[in-house]
Amino acid sequence: MSQYKHLFFDLDNTLWNFTENARSALFDVYTTYNLNRYYPEFDSYFNQFEENNVALWRLYGADKITKEFLNTERFLAPLRKFGILNEPLARAMSTFYLEQCCEKTAVMPNTFSTLDYLKPHYDLYIISNGFKEVQYKKLKKSGLSGYFNKIFLSEEVGHHKPKPEFFAHMFSVSNAQKKDSLVIGDNFEADIEGAMNFGIDQVYYSADSSQTLIKQPTYTIHNLSELCSFL
């Protein structure tokens, strides 16, 4: 019998396939706004966007930039290379991109079968740094909403993962205890180190089986179905 009662899942690239869905949404932006005028190949645009996006999300997670700046800058930066400084255009592209993301429904392998197995035995929660106007829609559209007792979003909590205030809030609301809780996520810094530093057991969902880790999580999996072997 598992010692755990409360399972806290990250959303993006843990359950909802962010890599596939975001790429598809960005391709919609690329075609709708005729960005082949500047980037003849979608991959070149995608790589430029992704480089900026990753850096901006790190700054956002550290509270160094606003959500509004992130959303505008990640679309403005690839255009700026061509002398285009049209912020209203970048904001329109961002709005369209987020709308398209909400329509995408790809999930990680074995998501539904794993949740079906876990739901009767555990209280399940979502913990995410994603934007609130997007995450709820993504959960509903992809059929994930009904599995979870509570959704914890950093915008609503007032703190981002991996800050201890985020984890303290989720415990105060869920009435869970550290000893019977497990955090499951793909982001080592936000999910795993955040939980580790707060004294919660963790499951690192790693897509790279050859990855070398300096700190060892409580568990490491490479497919969600592996949760069923110890929960």
Side-chain angles (χ1 to χ4, degrees), residues 69-136:
F69 181 82
L70 185 158
N71 277 330
T72 302
E73 179 62 18
R74 61 181 172 177
F75 285 96
L76 188 58
L79 298 176
R80 192 182 290 118
K81 293 187 66 174
F82 298 91
I84 301 169
L85 306 176
N86 190 334
E87 288 194 17
L89 173 62
R91 286 194 292 271
M93 292 167 67
S94 176
T95 298
F96 180 73
Y97 168 75
L98 293 176
E99 289 171 349
Q100 294 305 110
C101 277
C102 293
E103 296 299 314
K104 309 299 181 181
T105 59
V107 296
M108 302 300 286
N110 299 306
T111 289
F112 289 112
S113 59
T114 301
L115 292 176
D116 285 336
Y117 170 82
L118 296 173
K119 180 61 177 172
H121 308 291
Y122 301 93
D123 289 331
L124 308 182
Y125 309 87
I126 289 290
I127 55 172
S128 173
N129 285 345
F131 302 143
K132 61 184 179 182
E133 69 270 24
V134 176
Q135 300 302 70
Y136 286 112

Side-chain angles (χ1 to χ4, degrees), residues 46-72:
F46 175 82
N47 292 336
Q48 183 64 57
F49 174 90
E50 189 65 8
E51 180 182 341
N52 294 315
N53 192 42
V54 169
L56 288 165
W57 267 100
R58 287 200 186 100
L59 293 173
Y60 177 69
D63 292 324
K64 293 183 178 179
I65 61 172
T66 65
K67 166 184 169 180
E68 290 72 24
F69 181 82
L70 185 158
N71 277 330
T72 302

Side-chain angles (χ1 to χ4, degrees), residues 152-169:
F152 294 98
L153 302 182
S154 60
E155 277 191 276
E156 296 175 335
V157 171
H159 301 278
H160 294 104
K161 298 179 295 180
K163 291 187 175 180
E165 292 88 348
F166 181 96
F167 294 97
H169 176 84

